[in-house]
Amino acid sequence: MAKVLVETSARHVHLTDADIETLFGKGAALTEKKPLSQPGQFACEERVTLVGPKKSIPNVIILGPARKATQVEVSLTDARTLGVTAPVRESGDIAGSGACKIVGPAGEVEIAEGVIAAKRHIHFTPEEAAAAGVEDKEIVSVKIDSDGRSTTFGDVVVRVSPKFSAAMHIDTDESNAAMAFGECYGEIIK
């Protein structure tokens, strides 16, 4: 079976250009700190605070570039900490999802929807997907072998695009459960 790099996607925010200006000031733009594994995506210098009915989580990273819709991706543990609803969804599927407040140094944004727990997924180029024997939107399982915490994750959606690079993304709760730390690979099971 095919192997895939497994990466932990910690809590983060995607912002629209308008929300960037509200949070960081007129004319503000995101400042790239470091590139991510997916081409064109990057971690930003800027940080925000997420505010829910129960608690706040400060120093949350923003991922760029700007998006068409603001989206907050948290683990289910983070959602409970904040006191917000975070349905498990694919990135971009935010209709009817959770609400929260995002606070920056120049202002705040109240989003009525956009808080999700990202559905675990694998990014592949068409060539990488063909080599792994999988197709776009296919649901697979991935087994991660670790010392004392080997885990098989089901319900992993395959996402194929020429803009991607091969990597599976899981959140911090899932990473901790499988001890998927450092350079980690999983085996795709169909």
Side-chain angles (χ1 to χ4, degrees):
M1 276 287 155
K3 295 249 183 208
V4 64
L5 176 67
V6 178
E7 297 178 327
T8 303
S9 182
R11 72 178 73 101
H12 62 271
V13 177
H14 299 282
L15 297 170
T16 63
D17 285 320
D19 287 348
I20 292 166
E21 284 201 349
T22 299
L23 296 168
F24 296 99
K26 184 135 180 78
L30 298 175
T31 309
E32 184 173 340
K33 181 176 184 176
K34 69 175 188 171
L36 300 176
S37 65
Q38 296 307 303
Q41 304 292 306
F42 55 91
C44 300
E45 294 284 350
E46 294 79 14
R47 300 287 191 273
V48 293
T49 297
L50 301 179
V51 180
K54 284 175 61 180
K55 290 189 179 176
S56 298
I57 299 177
N59 204 33
V60 177
I61 195 164
I62 299 167
L63 300 186
R67 293 237 180 137
K68 292 178 185 173
T70 290
Q71 176 175 294
V72 175
E73 294 184 36
V74 294
S75 70
L76 294 176
T77 298
D78 290 338
R80 282 192 302 277
T81 297
L82 291 165
V84 301
T85 299
V88 177
R89 301 267 184 86
E90 283 191 59
S91 183
D93 180 10
I94 61 170
S97 62
C100 77
K101 184 189 303 181
I102 305 169
V103 179
E108 56 188 51
V109 174
E110 191 88 39
I111 58 170
E113 62 184 16
V115 180
I116 65 167
K119 183 174 179 69
R120 47 188 169 245
H121 57 279
I122 302 171
H123 294 279
F124 277 133
T125 64
E127 298 78 19
E128 291 163 339
V134 296
E135 297 178 358
D136 190 42
K137 301 298 182 196
E138 185 174 349
I139 304 297
V140 298
S141 294
V142 176
K143 183 173 192 277
I144 298 173
D145 285 319
S146 60
D147 188 18
R149 286 275 176 119
S150 293
T151 304
T152 299
F153 289 110
D155 303 315
V156 181
V157 66
V158 175
R159 298 173 58 192
V160 179
S161 168
K163 297 178 182 178
F164 292 157
S165 179
M168 176 179 174
H169 288 159
I170 58 177
D171 70 23
T172 51
D173 288 348
E174 295 163 323
S175 180
N176 288 334
M179 289 180 55
F181 310 134
E183 188 171 309
C184 176
Y185 287 85
E187 180 182 333
I188 298 172
I189 303 167
K190 295 181 78 172

